[in-house]
Amino acid sequence: MGLMKALVTGINGFIGSHLAECLLAKGIDVHGIVSNLTQVENIAHLRDKIILSKCDVRNQIMVKKIIRKSAPDFIFHLAAQSRPDISWKDPWGTMEVNVIGTVNIFESIRQLGLDPKILVACSSAEYGFLREDEGPIKEDHQLLPLSPYAVSKVTQDLLAYQYFQNYNLKTIRVRIFGTTGPRKIGDACSDFAKQIAEIERGKRGPIMYVGNLETRRDLTDVRDMVEAFWFLVEKGKIGDVYNACSSRVYKIGDILNKFLEMAGTDIKVKIDPKKLRPSDEPIIVGDNSKIRKECGWRPRIPIEKTLEDILNYWRKKFGVRT
C-alpha cells in the first residue's frame, strides 16, 4: 500500500501551513490548493515536500480536476474568506468562496465517485452571541450567526451534513474556536507581539496601542488544533460535528501582561479607540468534552509557550536579537 494522501485547501493559510507540517510528520503525502502560487510565504519552507496546485475554489472545473488528479484519502477543507470584518464589506465574495467553494468540493467528490474522509473547517462564530451564564458551549447549542461570515460557516456546516445524509460523503465538521500561534495575523496575540517586536527593533516608540482588554477568550495553540484535525479524521464519527477548543478562558488583559513580562524593554499601554469593536462578546468559551471523549484529543501546549513562540516569530521577522 502506498502513502496515504491528503488534499488541503487553503494550505498557505495560518492553520493550513501548520496542518501541512503535521501531516508530513505523520508520513502523509500532502497536496495543497492555493489561490496564488506567488503568495506562499507560510509554506515556502515546505515547497519541495508538497505538491501545490493553483485553484480558485469557486471554479468547479478546476476543483474537480485537482481532486481527480490527487485522488486523496483525506480532504481538509480550510479554504475560506475567513474574516468577519471583511464579510460585512463583501458578503457576496464571502458567500461565493465559502459556500460555492464547499459545494464544488462535495460535488466533485460525488461526481468522481471517490470516497475520502472530508474534514470541513467550521467556526465557533456559528453560535453567535453567548451569554456568560450559559457556560461552555456544547455542539447542540442553537446556531444564531451574527455576521455574513458566520452565516456562510453555518451553511458550510449544514452542507456537510446534507451531503453525508443524502450521498454518504464521509464528512466531519469541526467548529474551531480561538486559535493562535506563530504565523497568525490579526488577532490580539499577534498584534501585541508584533508591536513589542517593532518597539524592540526601534521601529516605533515604547507605546503599545490596544483595544478591549476585558474580553475573555477560549484560546488553543494552532499546533494543538491541527492535531485535533488528525484525531477527528482518524477517530471522529462520520457525519458528526465537534467543537475544537481548549475550554480554557484567558482574559485579553492577562495575555497582554504575559507579553509585557517577556518584552526586552519598558512599554506603556494606551487604549486606541480604533481598535474597539462596535460589539465585542464579553466571553467565548467552548465545551471540548465530546472530542476528548470520542477521539482522545486534548490540548497540550501551555499558553506561555504559545505566546513565547508568537513573540519570537515576530522578533525573527523584524531582525530583533534576543
Side-chain angles (χ1 to χ4, degrees), residues 113-205:
L114 299 176
D115 196 30
K117 286 187 177 179
I118 312 147
L119 187 85
V120 180
C122 301
S123 172
S124 61
E126 297 176 45
Y127 295 119
F129 193 87
L130 307 178
R131 297 197 317 272
E132 277 206 55
D133 60 359
E134 290 179 299
I137 297 302
K138 291 180 178 287
E139 288 84 352
D140 59 2
H141 191 278
Q142 188 176 9
L143 304 182
L144 295 170
L146 288 171
S147 69
Y149 163 76
V151 171
S152 76
K153 284 293 172 180
V154 170
T155 309
Q156 276 188 319
D157 196 321
L158 298 181
L159 278 168
Y161 175 74
Q162 181 243 310
Y163 272 81
F164 160 70
Q165 286 287 359
N166 293 327
Y167 302 115
N168 295 314
L169 262 62
K170 292 179 178 175
T171 61
I172 300 170
R173 296 165 282 147
V174 55
R175 292 181 188 148
I176 303 167
F177 282 70
T179 305
T180 195
R183 300 183 208 137
K184 182 71 181 273
I185 294 173
D187 74 342
C189 295
S190 65
D191 185 48
F192 295 160
K194 182 181 180 184
Q195 289 190 64
I196 289 171
E198 287 175 332
I199 291 167
E200 291 176 341
R201 189 68 174 87
K203 294 172 78 72
R204 60 192 295 164

XYZ file of all heavy atoms in Angstrom, residues 113-205:
734
model
N -17.029 9.790 -7.850
C -17.208 8.506 -7.185
C -16.087 8.164 -6.213
O -15.814 6.986 -5.951
N -15.432 9.193 -5.666
C -14.353 8.968 -4.702
C -14.924 8.853 -3.296
O -16.078 9.193 -3.050
C -13.333 10.109 -4.788
C -12.644 10.285 -6.146
C -11.732 11.504 -6.134
C -11.853 9.024 -6.510
N -14.092 8.382 -2.358
C -14.604 8.118 -1.022
C -13.649 8.592 0.085
O -13.356 7.851 1.020
C -14.864 6.613 -0.862
C -15.744 6.295 0.334
O -16.595 7.135 0.692
O -15.566 5.206 0.913
N -13.145 9.830 -0.012
C -12.235 10.302 1.039
C -12.992 10.724 2.289
O -14.189 10.996 2.248
C -11.573 11.515 0.389
C -12.657 12.070 -0.488
C -13.395 10.864 -1.027
N -12.277 10.794 3.399
C -12.822 11.467 4.568
C -12.605 12.960 4.360
O -11.538 13.371 3.906
C -12.129 11.000 5.848
C -12.542 9.607 6.301
C -11.946 9.288 7.652
C -12.426 7.927 8.150
N -11.824 7.595 9.469
N -13.628 13.763 4.678
C -13.567 15.204 4.418
C -13.796 15.959 5.714
O -14.891 15.908 6.285
C -14.655 15.624 3.407
C -14.675 14.692 2.190
C -14.463 17.075 2.977
C -16.058 14.509 1.611
N -12.755 16.645 6.183
C -12.902 17.492 7.356
C -13.234 18.907 6.890
O -12.473 19.507 6.130
C -11.622 17.512 8.182
C -11.780 18.254 9.515
C -12.335 17.312 10.576
C -10.459 18.848 9.989
N -14.357 19.428 7.347
C -14.795 20.767 6.948
C -14.568 21.721 8.117
O -15.094 21.516 9.216
C -16.283 20.775 6.539
C -16.723 22.170 6.141
C -16.504 19.803 5.387
N -13.763 22.762 7.872
C -13.436 23.733 8.917
C -14.592 24.703 9.111
O -14.808 25.604 8.296
C -12.156 24.484 8.545
N -15.330 24.511 10.184
C -16.432 25.401 10.540
C -15.952 26.341 11.651
O -14.759 26.427 11.906
C -17.648 24.581 10.945
S -18.223 23.466 9.606
N -16.850 27.035 12.313
C -16.412 28.100 13.215
C -17.312 28.257 14.433
O -18.531 28.067 14.351
C -16.380 29.431 12.459
O -16.139 30.507 13.327
N -16.708 28.652 15.546
C -17.477 28.973 16.750
C -18.382 30.185 16.515
O -19.347 30.399 17.247
C -16.534 29.263 17.920
O -15.700 30.379 17.636
N -18.071 30.973 15.464
C -18.916 32.139 15.138
C -20.344 31.721 14.800
O -21.260 32.548 14.854
C -18.310 32.905 13.962
N -20.533 30.454 14.461
C -21.881 29.961 14.141
C -22.830 30.087 15.329
O -24.040 30.210 15.154
C -21.819 28.499 13.700
C -21.035 28.271 12.434
C -20.908 26.791 12.091
O -21.931 26.080 12.183
O -19.798 26.337 11.755
N -22.290 30.047 16.548
C -23.136 30.083 17.743
C -23.673 31.479 18.034
O -24.667 31.632 18.728
C -22.351 29.583 18.961
C -21.952 28.126 18.875
C -20.613 27.751 18.891
C -22.918 27.129 18.788
C -20.229 26.426 18.817
C -22.549 25.789 18.710
C -21.204 25.444 18.728
O -20.829 24.119 18.652
N -23.003 32.507 17.514
C -23.463 33.868 17.747
C -23.119 34.365 19.129
O -22.123 33.971 19.728
N -23.950 35.273 19.652
C -23.684 35.923 20.942
C -23.926 34.930 22.073
O -24.995 34.324 22.167
C -24.580 37.148 21.110
C -24.165 38.042 22.232
C -23.226 39.041 22.035
C -24.696 37.871 23.500
C -22.826 39.874 23.076
C -24.310 38.692 24.546
C -23.369 39.700 24.341
N -22.927 34.771 22.930
C -23.025 33.819 24.035
C -23.154 34.572 25.362
O -22.375 35.474 25.647
C -21.782 32.917 24.065
C -21.453 32.205 22.750
C -20.174 31.383 22.894
C -22.607 31.309 22.322
N -24.151 34.175 26.145
C -24.324 34.800 27.457
C -23.371 34.180 28.475
O -23.055 32.994 28.407
C -25.766 34.609 27.943
C -26.816 35.271 27.085
C -28.142 35.395 27.851
N -28.470 34.177 28.592
C -29.151 33.145 28.084
N -29.581 33.186 26.830
N -29.417 32.091 28.821
N -22.937 34.992 29.436
C -21.991 34.490 30.432
C -22.573 33.342 31.234
O -21.854 32.432 31.644
C -21.573 35.628 31.375
C -20.467 36.484 30.793
C -19.637 37.158 31.864
O -19.118 36.449 32.742
O -19.519 38.380 31.799
N -23.891 33.369 31.484
C -24.484 32.336 32.330
C -24.694 31.013 31.591
O -25.145 30.033 32.177
C -25.818 32.822 32.915
C -26.849 33.161 31.838
O -26.534 33.035 30.632
O -27.982 33.566 32.192
N -24.382 30.976 30.301
C -24.589 29.740 29.534
C -23.462 28.729 29.747
O -23.634 27.547 29.481
C -24.705 30.062 28.043
C -25.972 30.780 27.679
C -26.049 31.117 26.199
O -25.182 31.856 25.701
O -26.986 30.636 25.540
N -22.300 29.209 30.188
C -21.178 28.298 30.389
C -20.581 27.856 29.063
O -20.962 28.349 27.996
N -19.632 26.924 29.132
C -19.019 26.424 27.885
C -20.076 25.854 26.939
O -20.962 25.109 27.359
C -18.069 25.329 28.384
C -17.757 25.713 29.795
C -19.019 26.322 30.325
N -19.969 26.227 25.653
C -20.992 25.883 24.669
C -20.761 24.495 24.085
O -19.676 24.177 23.600
C -20.991 26.942 23.539
C -21.363 28.310 24.118
C -21.939 26.541 22.412
C -22.702 28.370 24.809
N -21.811 23.686 24.118
C -21.746 22.353 23.514
C -22.204 22.406 22.056
O -22.805 23.388 21.614
C -22.626 21.373 24.300
C -22.114 21.042 25.693
C -23.047 20.060 26.380
C -22.546 19.665 27.769
N -21.383 18.753 27.671
N -21.977 21.308 21.334
C -22.286 21.254 19.905
C -23.776 21.366 19.600
O -24.153 21.760 18.486
C -21.748 19.942 19.310
C -20.238 19.875 19.191
C -19.530 19.443 20.460
O -20.189 19.314 21.530
O -18.311 19.226 20.414
N -24.632 21.048 20.578
C -26.075 21.108 20.314
C -26.684 22.482 20.619
O -27.900 22.671 20.562
C -26.816 20.025 21.107
C -26.623 20.140 22.612
O -25.936 21.085 23.065
O -27.147 19.279 23.352
N -25.832 23.468 20.927
C -26.307 24.832 21.173
C -26.907 25.401 19.883
O -26.437 25.120 18.787
C -25.142 25.704 21.645
C -25.562 27.044 22.164
N -25.820 28.120 21.338
C -25.764 27.492 23.433
C -26.155 29.162 22.080
N -26.132 28.818 23.341
N -27.934 26.222 20.025
C -28.580 26.827 18.864
C -27.588 27.675 18.069
O -26.745 28.366 18.645
C -29.754 27.700 19.315
C -30.615 28.221 18.171
C -31.827 28.991 18.679
O -31.941 29.280 19.863
N -32.730 29.329 17.779
N -27.696 27.624 16.737
C -26.839 28.421 15.867
C -27.543 29.729 15.527
O -28.599 29.729 14.897
C -26.508 27.643 14.582
C -25.855 26.274 14.773
C -25.543 25.635 13.418
C -24.582 26.379 15.614
N -26.953 30.851 15.948
C -27.534 32.176 15.702
C -26.431 33.108 15.195
O -25.992 34.024 15.900
C -28.161 32.732 16.999
C -29.367 31.955 17.536
C -29.741 32.440 18.932
C -30.556 32.107 16.592
N -25.985 32.906 13.957
C -24.844 33.657 13.428
C -25.128 35.154 13.307
O -26.237 35.557 12.968
C -24.623 33.030 12.051
C -25.962 32.473 11.659
C -26.577 31.996 12.944
N -24.081 35.959 13.559
C -24.262 37.412 13.630
C -23.472 38.189 12.579
O -23.372 39.404 12.671
C -23.864 37.912 15.031
C -24.843 37.552 16.148
C -24.243 37.893 17.506
C -26.161 38.292 15.956
N -22.902 37.508 11.600
C -22.199 38.202 10.511
C -22.375 37.381 9.245
O -22.664 36.172 9.309
C -20.703 38.339 10.831
O -20.069 37.074 10.804
N -22.189 38.005 8.074
C -22.244 37.216 6.839
C -21.247 36.059 6.859
O -21.546 34.972 6.374
C -21.892 38.251 5.756
C -22.332 39.561 6.325
C -22.052 39.466 7.794
N -20.058 36.288 7.445
C -19.070 35.212 7.575
C -19.661 34.045 8.369
O -19.579 32.881 7.956
C -17.816 35.737 8.281
C -16.936 34.647 8.825
C -16.109 33.890 7.984
C -16.944 34.335 10.193
C -15.322 32.864 8.488
C -16.159 33.318 10.695
C -15.346 32.590 9.846
O -14.580 31.567 10.344
N -20.252 34.356 9.521
C -20.806 33.305 10.373
C -21.938 32.548 9.674
O -22.052 31.327 9.784
C -21.288 33.900 11.690
N -22.764 33.277 8.931
C -23.846 32.629 8.166
C -23.252 31.684 7.120
O -23.742 30.568 6.917
C -24.744 33.682 7.490
C -25.720 33.013 6.518
C -25.516 34.475 8.533
N -22.174 32.112 6.474
C -21.528 31.252 5.464
C -20.979 29.984 6.105
O -20.983 28.914 5.485
C -20.415 32.011 4.733
O -19.246 32.143 5.515
N -20.509 30.087 7.356
C -19.963 28.928 8.050
C -21.079 27.965 8.481
O -20.915 26.744 8.436
C -19.124 29.373 9.254
C -17.759 29.910 8.855
C -16.897 28.806 8.272
C -15.613 29.244 7.678
N -14.806 28.145 7.135
N -22.218 28.521 8.890
C -23.378 27.662 9.174
C -23.775 26.902 7.912
O -24.092 25.700 7.954
C -24.570 28.497 9.692
C -25.838 27.644 9.757
C -24.268 29.076 11.066
N -23.745 27.594 6.784
C -24.124 26.964 5.512
C -23.154 25.837 5.151
O -23.581 24.748 4.748
C -24.162 28.015 4.389
O -24.953 29.134 4.812
C -24.770 27.431 3.121
N -21.863 26.089 5.298
C -20.859 25.032 5.073
C -21.148 23.829 5.959
O -21.111 22.676 5.516
C -19.454 25.544 5.428
C -18.745 26.315 4.352
C -17.296 26.584 4.755
O -17.003 26.905 5.906
N -16.388 26.446 3.821
N -21.389 24.119 7.219
C -21.653 23.109 8.235
C -22.834 22.222 7.811
O -22.747 20.981 7.772
C -21.958 23.853 9.539
C -21.895 22.995 10.793
O -22.334 21.852 10.740
O -21.429 23.508 11.827
N -23.937 22.867 7.451
C -25.150 22.117 7.100
C -25.032 21.433 5.737
O -25.631 20.375 5.513
C -26.372 23.040 7.151
C -26.666 23.640 8.539
C -27.913 24.509 8.484
C -26.826 22.541 9.590
N -24.266 22.017 4.821
C -23.998 21.336 3.548
C -23.258 20.018 3.791
O -23.566 18.994 3.169
C -23.170 22.228 2.623
C -23.925 23.294 1.827
C -22.929 24.279 1.207
C -24.779 22.651 0.734
N -22.291 20.067 4.702
C -21.529 18.855 5.013
C -22.452 17.781 5.589
O -22.335 16.592 5.240
C -20.412 19.177 5.993
N -23.373 18.198 6.439
C -24.345 17.246 6.998
C -25.255 16.705 5.905
O -25.516 15.500 5.822
C -25.164 17.940 8.092
C -26.272 17.084 8.640
C -26.001 16.022 9.501
C -27.597 17.318 8.281
C -27.020 15.221 10.001
C -28.629 16.532 8.777
C -28.339 15.486 9.635
O -29.344 14.690 10.104
N -25.721 17.603 5.031
C -26.643 17.200 3.963
C -25.991 16.200 2.998
O -26.616 15.198 2.610
C -27.112 18.447 3.219
C -28.104 18.153 2.095
C -27.556 18.537 0.728
O -27.081 19.639 0.541
N -27.610 17.636 -0.223
N -24.752 16.473 2.604
C -24.075 15.571 1.667
C -23.753 14.221 2.311
O -23.696 13.195 1.634
C -22.803 16.221 1.102
C -23.070 17.033 -0.143
C -23.567 18.329 -0.055
C -22.859 16.504 -1.418
C -23.833 19.079 -1.195
C -23.126 17.242 -2.566
C -23.612 18.528 -2.444
O -23.866 19.254 -3.575
N -23.571 14.223 3.625
C -23.410 12.948 4.342
C -24.720 12.175 4.319
O -24.751 10.982 3.985
C -22.970 13.216 5.789
C -23.240 12.064 6.716
C -22.509 10.881 6.615
C -24.250 12.158 7.667
C -22.776 9.809 7.471
C -24.521 11.081 8.520
C -23.782 9.910 8.423
N -25.815 12.834 4.640
C -27.113 12.160 4.726
C -27.599 11.677 3.359
O -28.121 10.566 3.236
C -28.156 13.112 5.335
C -28.001 13.339 6.822
C -28.420 12.136 7.655
O -28.842 11.119 7.139
N -28.292 12.252 8.963
N -27.429 12.512 2.324
C -28.014 12.192 1.021
C -27.102 11.394 0.101
O -27.578 10.622 -0.726
C -28.433 13.491 0.315
C -29.574 14.187 1.035
O -30.422 13.546 1.620
N -29.583 15.507 1.006
N -25.791 11.582 0.237
C -24.850 10.952 -0.695
C -23.780 10.101 -0.010
O -22.861 9.605 -0.670
C -24.160 12.021 -1.552
C -25.121 12.879 -2.342
C -25.242 14.246 -2.076
C -25.919 12.325 -3.346
C -26.113 15.045 -2.797
C -26.801 13.120 -4.076
C -26.891 14.469 -3.792
O -27.762 15.253 -4.522
N -23.888 9.964 1.321
C -22.927 9.167 2.087
C -21.491 9.676 1.979
O -20.543 8.906 2.124
C -22.979 7.686 1.667
C -24.309 7.054 2.001
O -24.820 7.226 3.112
N -24.882 6.352 1.040
N -21.313 10.977 1.726
C -19.970 11.538 1.777
C -19.477 11.489 3.221
O -20.245 11.760 4.153
C -19.950 12.982 1.264
C -19.520 13.163 -0.206
C -20.473 12.459 -1.150
C -19.432 14.644 -0.544
N -18.210 11.154 3.373
C -17.641 10.964 4.717
C -17.201 12.299 5.318
O -16.020 12.555 5.518
C -16.473 9.989 4.658
C -16.870 8.559 4.315
C -15.643 7.673 4.262
C -16.005 6.231 3.960
N -14.796 5.389 3.784
N -18.168 13.143 5.597
C -17.847 14.471 6.136
C -17.769 14.439 7.659
O -18.513 13.714 8.331
C -18.898 15.503 5.712
O -20.182 15.117 6.235
C -18.982 15.617 4.198
N -16.861 15.251 8.188
C -16.770 15.508 9.621
C -16.641 17.019 9.774
O -15.846 17.653 9.079
C -15.554 14.813 10.260
C -15.660 13.297 10.071
C -15.444 15.165 11.743
C -14.407 12.538 10.441
N -17.442 17.592 10.657
C -17.440 19.048 10.818
C -16.727 19.429 12.114
O -16.980 18.818 13.156
C -18.881 19.554 10.864
C -19.638 19.320 9.556
C -21.137 19.486 9.743
N -21.748 18.328 10.358
C -22.790 18.361 11.178
N -23.333 19.521 11.522
N -23.296 17.246 11.670
N -15.851 20.418 12.037
C -15.147 20.875 13.240
C -15.407 22.362 13.421
O -15.133 23.163 12.530
C -13.636 20.559 13.173
C -12.980 21.134 11.920
C -12.922 21.079 14.423
N -15.980 22.721 14.553
C -16.228 24.129 14.879
C -15.028 24.637 15.680
O -14.833 24.265 16.840
C -17.537 24.291 15.642
C -18.737 23.982 14.753
C -20.065 24.158 15.458
N -21.151 23.667 14.606
C -22.275 23.120 15.067
N -22.466 23.003 16.379
N -23.201 22.692 14.235
N -14.254 25.481 15.010
C -12.973 25.931 15.543
C -13.171 27.190 16.384
O -13.740 28.171 15.920
C -11.993 26.217 14.385
C -11.816 24.963 13.520
C -10.662 26.718 14.907
C -11.133 25.241 12.191
N -12.687 27.143 17.626
C -12.700 28.325 18.488
C -11.366 29.063 18.331
O -10.566 28.719 17.461
C -12.954 27.907 19.939
C -14.407 27.595 20.242
C -15.001 26.458 19.719
C -15.172 28.439 21.040
C -16.338 26.158 19.972
C -16.506 28.157 21.297
C -17.089 27.012 20.771
N -11.140 30.075 19.153
C -9.952 30.917 19.024
C -8.669 30.108 18.911
O -8.367 29.295 19.791
N -7.940 30.333 17.844
C -6.702 29.596 17.572
C -5.593 30.604 17.306
O -5.767 31.521 16.512
C -6.882 28.685 16.347
O -8.013 27.836 16.573
C -5.658 27.822 16.115
N -4.464 30.421 17.965
C -3.375 31.367 17.794
C -2.048 30.633 17.757
O -1.982 29.433 18.014
C -3.407 32.437 18.908
O -2.565 33.529 18.532
C -2.974 31.881 20.256
N -0.990 31.365 17.404
C 0.332 30.759 17.303
C 1.175 31.494 16.274
O 0.738 32.488 15.688
N 2.393 31.021 16.045
C 3.253 31.633 15.034
C 2.566 31.642 13.667
O 1.891 30.685 13.309
C 4.493 30.721 15.020
C 4.462 29.993 16.317
C 3.025 29.859 16.696
N 2.747 32.736 12.935
C 2.181 32.981 11.593
C 0.780 33.556 11.620
O 0.247 33.935 10.586
C 2.185 31.721 10.706
C 3.556 31.133 10.461
C 3.496 29.921 9.521
N 4.606 29.029 9.815
C 4.517 27.712 9.894
N 3.357 27.125 9.667
N 5.566 27.000 10.188
N 0.150 33.614 12.793
C -1.185 34.228 12.871
C -1.048 35.726 12.668
O -0.107 36.353 13.156
C -1.822 33.932 14.238
C -3.256 34.484 14.431
C -4.248 33.712 13.588
C -5.676 34.232 13.729
N -6.409 33.637 14.842
N -2.004 36.297 11.942
C -2.031 37.738 11.718
C -3.425 38.240 12.069
O -4.422 37.633 11.682
C -1.695 38.087 10.258
C -0.239 37.712 9.958
C -1.922 39.561 9.970
C 0.136 37.872 8.499
N -3.489 39.328 12.832
C -4.770 39.983 13.023
C -5.491 39.715 14.322
O -6.474 40.387 14.613
N -5.022 38.751 15.142
C -5.691 38.578 16.423
C -4.923 39.360 17.492
O -3.852 39.933 17.234
C -5.845 37.103 16.792
C -4.548 36.438 17.228
O -3.463 36.985 16.944
O -4.621 35.360 17.845
N -5.468 39.417 18.705
C -4.843 40.219 19.766
C -3.438 39.728 20.075
O -2.517 40.538 20.256
C -5.713 40.173 21.020
N -3.242 38.417 20.129
C -1.928 37.868 20.475
C -0.861 38.304 19.467
O 0.218 38.764 19.850
C -1.984 36.340 20.539
S -3.035 35.692 21.854
N -1.166 38.152 18.184
C -0.173 38.516 17.162
C 0.019 40.036 17.126
O 1.131 40.522 16.903
C -0.590 37.997 15.785
O -1.765 38.615 15.331
N -1.052 40.788 17.375
C -0.950 42.254 17.367
C -0.057 42.735 18.509
O 0.810 43.595 18.313
C -2.346 42.865 17.480
C -2.325 44.386 17.359
O -1.681 44.894 16.423
O -2.928 45.054 18.214
N -0.245 42.167 19.704
C 0.603 42.532 20.842
C 2.064 42.204 20.546
O 2.960 43.023 20.748
C 0.174 41.781 22.109
C -1.196 42.130 22.622
C -1.865 41.268 23.483
C -1.829 43.318 22.273
C -3.117 41.575 23.977
C -3.094 43.641 22.757
C -3.738 42.762 23.606
N 2.315 40.973 20.091
C 3.683 40.515 19.846
C 4.356 41.339 18.752
O 5.542 41.692 18.864
C 3.680 39.032 19.479
N 3.611 41.656 17.706
C 4.171 42.442 16.608
C 4.589 43.825 17.092
O 5.682 44.315 16.762
C 3.138 42.555 15.477
C 3.651 43.321 14.257
C 2.566 43.419 13.198
C 3.069 44.194 11.978
N 1.995 44.388 10.978
N 3.736 44.466 17.880
C 4.072 45.796 18.396
C 5.310 45.749 19.285
O 6.183 46.626 19.205
C 2.885 46.377 19.169
C 1.709 46.789 18.297
C 0.680 47.584 19.087
O 0.963 48.684 19.561
N -0.512 47.016 19.240
N 5.404 44.728 20.143
C 6.575 44.603 21.018
C 7.846 44.434 20.188
O 8.867 45.077 20.448
C 6.396 43.420 21.993
C 5.337 43.756 23.040
C 7.720 43.066 22.687
C 4.930 42.593 23.920
N 7.796 43.571 19.181
C 8.968 43.343 18.330
C 9.368 44.617 17.589
O 10.559 44.917 17.442
C 8.690 42.211 17.347
N 8.377 45.385 17.146
C 8.671 46.656 16.465
C 9.339 47.648 17.419
O 10.280 48.362 17.037
C 7.377 47.257 15.897
C 6.854 46.529 14.674
C 5.512 47.072 14.215
O 4.738 47.596 15.046
O 5.230 46.975 13.014
N 8.858 47.677 18.659
C 9.453 48.573 19.667
C 10.886 48.132 19.972
O 11.804 48.963 20.028
C 8.590 48.578 20.951
C 7.240 49.267 20.675
C 9.328 49.275 22.100
C 6.200 49.045 21.763
N 11.087 46.832 20.164
C 12.426 46.319 20.457
C 13.401 46.593 19.312
O 14.599 46.787 19.542
C 12.361 44.811 20.742
C 11.664 44.463 22.046
C 11.516 42.967 22.274
O 11.618 42.198 21.280
O 11.294 42.564 23.415
N 12.909 46.616 18.101
C 13.754 46.856 16.920
C 13.984 48.344 16.684
O 14.796 48.720 15.838
C 13.092 46.222 15.686
C 13.944 46.208 14.419
C 15.122 45.261 14.570
N 15.864 45.130 13.325
C 16.856 45.949 12.948
N 17.219 46.947 13.732
N 17.479 45.754 11.809
N 13.262 49.174 17.451
C 13.412 50.608 17.269
C 12.604 51.171 16.126
O 12.835 52.294 15.664
N 11.604 50.402 15.668
C 10.774 50.855 14.546
C 9.628 51.765 15.019
O 8.936 52.359 14.203
C 10.202 49.640 13.795
C 11.270 48.798 13.102
C 10.680 47.507 12.538
C 9.921 47.718 11.251
N 10.792 48.011 10.116
N 9.404 51.841 16.334
C 8.361 52.694 16.885
C 8.718 53.008 18.343
O 9.550 52.339 18.947
C 6.989 52.017 16.802
C 6.904 50.709 17.541
C 5.650 49.932 17.216
N 4.462 50.630 17.669
C 3.223 50.345 17.248
N 3.035 49.413 16.333
N 2.198 50.998 17.704
N 8.056 54.016 18.914
C 8.311 54.384 20.305
C 7.768 53.344 21.271
O 6.993 52.457 20.884
